[in-house]
């Protein structure tokens, strides 16, 4: 009897951490983007309240978003809403008081430009964390003699990538 199982829609990082494999092509991959609403921004207390921050956020409100490839996902809309509030000037904040922070439409050309610029900067920061360029990684992947593909194309059988997590033992465990 053949058994089918679904792991659901997940980013490859979730598949790898939870199940020990990743998909060669995964439309649900995500990238972490981190943004900081600084106290030096205009209307900081109002923006902080609007975004659900607290008075404890003296250094600024730091918010990370797992951005999927599909721009229509709610996570992308939440990210853009955060960025639009972050870059809103006083008149735009007055408009915002009438609507919620979820799925906020563009406020102005200036605001949208600043939001896109912040997204671009966050993407650059995320990419700079990688030791090698995408071109370098693609060269390694093209070397199938030393780096086997996740899927055996001839036999249409997935190869397994396994990970073993080694945790330090407690001193009492012997």
């Amino acid at each position: 009897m053949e058994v089918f199982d679904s792991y659901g829609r997940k980013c490859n990082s979730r598949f790898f951490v939870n199940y020990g494999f990743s998909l060669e092509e995964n439309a649900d991959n995500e990238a972490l983007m981190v943004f900081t609403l600084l106290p030096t921004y205009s209307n900081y207390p109002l923006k902080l309240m609007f975004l659900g921050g607290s008075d404890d956020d003296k250094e600024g409100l730091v918010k990370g978003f797992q951005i999927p490839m599909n721009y229509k996902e709610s996570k992308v809309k939440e990210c853009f809403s955060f960025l639009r509030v972050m870059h809103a000037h006083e008149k735009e904040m007055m408009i915002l008081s009438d609507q919620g922070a979820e799925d906020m439409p563009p406020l102005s050309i200036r605001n949208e430009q600043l939001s896109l610029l912040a997204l671009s900067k966050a993407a650059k920061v995320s990419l700079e964390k990688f030791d090698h360029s995408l071109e370098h990684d693609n060269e390694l992947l093209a070397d199938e003699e030393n780096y086997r593909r996740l899927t055996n194309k001839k036999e249409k059988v997935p190869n397994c990538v396994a990970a073993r997590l080694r945790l330090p033992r407690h001193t009492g465990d012997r």
Side-chain angles (χ1 to χ4, degrees), residues 7 10 14-15 19 23 38-39 41 51 56 67 69 71 73-74 78-79 86 118 121 126 144 149 167 173:
Y7 293 93
K10 291 178 181 49
R14 289 282 86 191
F15 281 136
Y19 308 110
L23 303 174
L38 297 169
Y41 282 35
L51 294 170
D56 296 336
I67 306 294
M69 293 169 57
Y71 71 93
E73 295 280 339
S74 62
E78 290 169 23
C79 177
M86 187 168 121
K121 287 179 180 179
S126 291
E144 292 190 30
R149 298 180 69 75
L167 300 173
D173 296 346

Side-chain angles (χ1 to χ4, degrees), residues 105-168:
L107 301 172
S108 68
I109 293 172
R110 181 203 65 84
N111 182 278
E112 203 67 5
Q113 287 173 329
L114 291 172
S115 298
L116 289 169
L117 182 61
L119 186 67
S120 174
K121 287 179 180 179
K124 187 174 182 177
V125 167
S126 291
L127 287 172
E128 287 173 347
K129 292 179 182 176
F130 289 95
D131 294 335
H132 301 284
S133 68
L134 179 60
E135 290 79 18
H136 175 77
D137 290 346
N138 283 333
E139 286 173 14
L140 292 177
L141 290 171
D143 179 5
E144 292 190 30
E145 186 175 317
N146 292 310
Y147 301 96
R148 292 188 53 184
R149 298 180 69 75
L150 295 178
T151 305
N152 183 328
K153 301 281 186 192
K154 291 178 185 174
E155 299 172 20
K156 297 185 181 177
V157 177
N159 294 325
C160 181
V161 177
R164 183 174 156 201
L165 181 61
R166 297 186 78 175
L167 300 173

Side-chain angles (χ1 to χ4, degrees), residues 64-106:
F65 295 91
Q66 290 291 131
I67 306 294
M69 293 169 57
N70 183 349
Y71 71 93
K72 292 183 180 183
E73 295 280 339
S74 62
K75 295 175 182 182
V76 176
K77 293 176 182 181
E78 290 169 23
C79 177
F80 268 98
S81 294
F82 180 88
L83 291 173
R84 288 170 179 149
V85 171
M86 187 168 121
H87 296 290
H89 60 62
E90 196 167 340
K91 288 180 183 176
E92 292 168 336
M93 287 304 296
M94 299 297 252
I95 295 169
L96 291 177
S97 62
D98 294 337
Q99 51 184 298
E102 297 174 14
D103 198 10
M104 182 183 304

